[in-house]
Structure formats: C-alpha cells, structure tokens
Amino acid sequence: MRQLRSLALAASLLGVLPAAATAQMSDGVVRIGILNDMNGPYADLAGPGSVLAAQMAAEEFGNRVAGVPVEIVSANHQNKPDVGAEITRRWVDQDKVDAIADVPTSSVALAVQNIVRDKQKVFLISGAAAASLSGKDCSPFSIQTSDDTNALSIGTTRAVVKSGADSWFFLTADYVFGHAMEAESTKVIKAHGGTVLGGVRHPQNTADFASYLLRAKGSGAKAIGLANAGNDTITSIKQAVEFGLTQSGQRLVGLILFISDIHALGLQNAHGLMLTEGFYWDMDPVAREWSQRFHKRFGKMPTRQQATTYATVVHYLRAIDHAKTDDSRTVVARMKAAPMKYFGHEGRIREDGRFVHDLKLYEVKHPSESKYPWDYYKTVTTIPGEEAFASMADGGCPLVAKR
C-alpha cells in the first residue's frame, strides 16, 4: 500500500511539472515587439526587414521556446518619441509584450528605455546608436547590440584624419543621434591633430541640402562629416556629387552608412566612401548563408541593423530556453553570462548592457572591382571591440559598480 501511495504521488508530481514550468512563462506566450520606422527615412535599413529578421530568429526555435509559442508583433514609431512611447505603453500594459527590439532613432529609443525600465521589461536595442543607452541612460533590463556612435566614429574618423583630411565640417541631423555622432567624431578628430571648422544642423528627413552643402563647400574643409542616417545620408551624398564637392577635392565621410544606402547610391556615386560596420553580408560563411536565405525572402541583402536584430532575438530566446522563464531580470542576467553568437563570430555583453565585438573598417568598391550583385565592400582593417566601444568607466552607466 505504501508503495502504491508513493507511485501515485510520483505520478501526480510528474503531472504537475509541465504546468509548473509553463507557469514561469508569464502569460504562456513569449511576445516580442519590433518597433521601428516602417515607411520613413529609416525603412530600408530597418523597417519590414527587421520584422522578417526577428521572424527568422523565432523560426530557429520552431516558433516555440521553453514550451510556449513565440510571437513577433510590430509597429511604426514614425520617428516620433511620443508615438514610440504610446505604442510601448500599450504593448506592455495591454498586449503583454515581453521584449521590445530594434528601435532606430535614438530619441525614440530613449523614450522607450524610460518606460521599459519602470515596467521591468526587456529592451533589445539592436537599432538605436546613441552610446548613452548603455552609458548614462542605461537600464538593468536593456541590452545594446547596435553599433553605437562611439564605435562608428572611431574607425572611420580616425582613418580619414590619418589619410590627410585633417580639417572638417559637419552636416548633422538635428536630434540625439546626430548630436552624439558629431560630438564623438570631434573628439577623435582633435585627438589625432585635426580641426573642426564648423557645421550645420538640418531637420530629419529633409529633401533639400543645397544651403547646407554650400556652407560646407565654402568652409574649405577637407572632409565633410555626414552625421545623419538613412535617406538623409543618401540625399546629402547625391546632392554633394551634383554640386561638385567631391570634384573640388573635398571628401564626403558617411559616419553611419548601411549597405541599403550604398545600394541606393550606386557604386558610381559611393565608391571610395569609408565606413565602419559590425556586419557585412559577405564577411564570413555563416553571415553569407543566413543573408542569402534572407535575400530569397526579402529581395535585398540585410543591413547590419536587420542582421543584428536577428542575432539579438536569437540570443534572447536562447536565454529563455536555458532559464525556462521569461522573467526579465533572469533572462538579462543569462544574456550577459553567455557569449553572444554573431554569425561566424561572438562577443560578450558587459554589465552595462553593451555588446562588445570586433568591427571592420571598409572602403566601398569602384564599380570595376565589384564581381557579383551586392559585392560592395573591401576590408581595410579590423577594429578590436575593446578599442571601438567606450569603456564602462567612460560610459558612465550608474548601474556599474565603481572600481
């Protein structure tokens, strides 16, 4: 009789175990929100492509993790902080979204960060580039995997100054990201003996750069730093070529460029540009294989932001699968404890949430050098992650213990 009671108890406990495990998964669904610009200046570098990248990440797990379904939802923040904040509140309070990912436009990302910090939800920053998101504005629930303003400015700016272009003029997008990129680049320029002769700030998604480019040309600066992104970068480069800035010997320097920008410009306009990237579709066999699968479904090669969204969501889901819970603190701790796989490479996530990995400085090929579709970059040098990203001491994250 005692043996029968023991067997019955064991059977009852076995029956409870799946329910107990599932109870660790909040509402029984892991729901990830992809928040970005779906039809504006950053749609090509993020937009629907980032949504597909996240869906491909979920598919790696069969759209289930730790015994529950994985759902990908998406929304358009229109590059407006108030719109992004409203969507975030609705997602968290009503739609039970567990994590938000992507979020290009740093002003929107900062608004989102403030909300998810209070709500204790995970923020996977695979889009916004402001270094302060893992610096002074950091959150215990955030991971920043995007290449940030510090990393993007170091490689490109240093290389251009060392090549002899030691006087600069900036065309800067007038919001958080543009200001940060100009400030970070200015530090590098001055540290290597260069000077900044001036600059202008332009509204986001402007169509006419004529007056800004005339001031840049009139400055006599050897390098024109483009502290903008997406359509603003494409438009400013096209109009600069039309106005003859490059023919007069001035060098255009895109401080944040994506392969979507190069594709839109064409190699005839873009060749010779230097840029820093953490991802290039042809950088290694693993990146190439995934990018070709992405291309079959999307018709374009992925930008680094879309690829980074994929890799970040995969790392998040791996952490849930390991921990058997979607509790934010537990999952973020696991993400920081395990190396993050980044296609054929990997990196580590620091205490402040900053993903540190090696970057490469590329030069855009001349049309005669391109051998097949999307063959746009040639490697100049590798930038070690410890050199590219600001140290935790310099970043100023208040979560990091003073050492």
Side-chain angles (χ1 to χ4, degrees):
M1 183 65 71
R2 182 179 300 171
Q3 185 178 11
L4 287 174
R5 283 198 299 267
S6 298
L7 288 172
L9 177 60
S12 66
L13 287 174
L14 286 171
V16 169
L17 283 176
T22 304
Q24 300 300 311
M25 302 301 295
S26 59
D27 64 340
V29 178
V30 173
R31 195 169 285 110
I32 304 168
I34 307 302
L35 182 61
N36 65 29
D37 176 0
M38 292 292 181
N39 54 15
Y42 306 143
D44 282 347
L45 63 89
S50 286
V51 179
L52 173 59
Q55 290 169 343
M56 290 176 72
E59 289 165 10
E60 296 285 329
F61 297 80
N63 293 308
R64 292 185 70 82
V65 65
V68 302
V70 177
E71 291 184 3
I72 306 296
V73 299
S74 61
N76 182 2
H77 64 37
Q78 303 174 43
N79 299 301
K80 298 176 180 177
D82 58 333
V83 173
E86 180 183 353
I87 293 168
T88 298
R89 290 192 184 94
R90 184 182 75 245
W91 272 357
V92 171
D93 293 339
Q94 299 177 26
D95 300 339
K96 308 303 179 185
V97 167
D98 299 290
I100 295 175
D102 200 7
V103 197
T105 308
S106 295
S107 54
V108 179
L110 286 165
V112 173
Q113 176 115 302
N114 287 335
I115 296 169
V116 295
R117 185 192 293 110
D118 292 340
K119 301 287 186 178
Q120 298 189 11
K121 293 296 181 179
V122 175
F123 189 14
L124 306 171
I125 310 169
S126 54
S132 69
L133 286 159
S134 52
K136 65 181 181 66
D137 298 308
C138 68
S139 163
F141 306 102
S142 295
I143 301 293
Q144 187 174 20
T145 55
S146 58
D147 296 344
D148 64 29
T149 48
N150 187 81
L152 292 170
S153 64
I154 283 177
T156 308
T157 307
R158 181 171 57 192
V160 173
V161 174
K162 286 186 174 181
S163 72
D166 56 1
S167 59
W168 287 62
F169 186 94
F170 283 98
L171 265 66
T172 302
D174 194 12
Y175 71 102
V176 174
F177 156 75
H179 302 170
M181 183 61 81
E182 180 183 339
E184 296 290 349
S185 297
T186 297
K187 289 180 190 175
V188 177
I189 292 164
K190 292 182 176 179
H192 289 84
T195 57
V196 176
L197 303 181
V200 291
R201 291 181 173 176
H202 65 81
Q204 192 177 25
N205 204 26
T206 188
D208 186 2
F209 281 85
S211 62
Y212 309 124
L213 291 168
L214 287 173
R215 287 182 63 180
K217 188 174 184 178
S219 73
K222 296 176 183 177
I224 311 300
L226 304 176
N228 49 25
N231 287 352
D232 286 334
T233 304
I234 295 168
T235 303
S236 56
I237 291 174
K238 284 182 176 178
Q239 292 184 11
V241 172
E242 292 171 4
F243 294 159
L245 266 73
T246 53
Q247 294 174 358
S248 67
Q250 290 179 301
R251 187 167 188 176
L252 296 175
V253 183
L255 297 172
I256 180 168
L257 284 168
F258 294 84
I259 199 166
S260 53
D261 302 332
I262 306 304
H263 190 70
L265 286 164
L267 294 183
Q268 195 61 48
N269 288 323
H271 73 86
L273 284 170
M274 300 182 82
L275 65 150
T276 301
E277 287 264 33
F279 173 89
Y280 172 46
W281 76 268
D282 210 9
M283 70 182 187
D284 61 54
V286 179
R288 193 176 305 118
E289 187 276 332
W290 181 80
S291 298
Q292 288 169 344
R293 285 194 286 121
F294 180 94
H295 184 274
K296 284 181 181 179
R297 296 172 65 169
F298 197 64
K300 300 176 182 179
M301 284 300 179
T303 65
R304 74 166 172 275
Q305 184 158 326
Q306 291 158 349
T308 301
T309 296
Y310 163 82
T312 307
V313 172
V314 166
H315 192 57
Y316 172 68
L317 293 175
R318 280 192 184 125
I320 292 176
D321 196 43
H322 180 273
K324 301 296 186 255
T325 178
D326 57 4
D327 173 72
S328 296
R329 287 189 186 276
T330 304
V331 172
V332 170
R334 176 61 191 173
M335 292 179 76
K336 291 178 179 180
M340 176 171 154
K341 296 183 185 300
Y342 195 72
F343 302 94
H345 308 270
E346 65 178 32
R348 66 185 181 90
I349 298 173
R350 300 187 312 206
E351 188 180 344
D352 59 357
R354 172 70 260 170
F355 174 51
V356 178
H357 62 117
D358 293 349
L359 309 179
K360 289 187 183 294
L361 178 66
Y362 293 103
E363 183 177 341
V364 178
K365 292 182 174 182
H366 187 275
S368 63
E369 297 176 291
S370 181
K371 305 303 181 186
Y372 42 85
W374 296 88
D375 177 26
Y376 293 162
Y377 298 166
K378 54 186 177 184
T379 302
V380 177
T381 189
T382 297
I383 307 168
E386 298 298 336
E387 293 181 14
F389 297 98
S391 68
M392 285 196 288
D394 291 337
C397 173
L399 302 174
V400 178
K402 300 298 181 184
R403 293 180 174 87

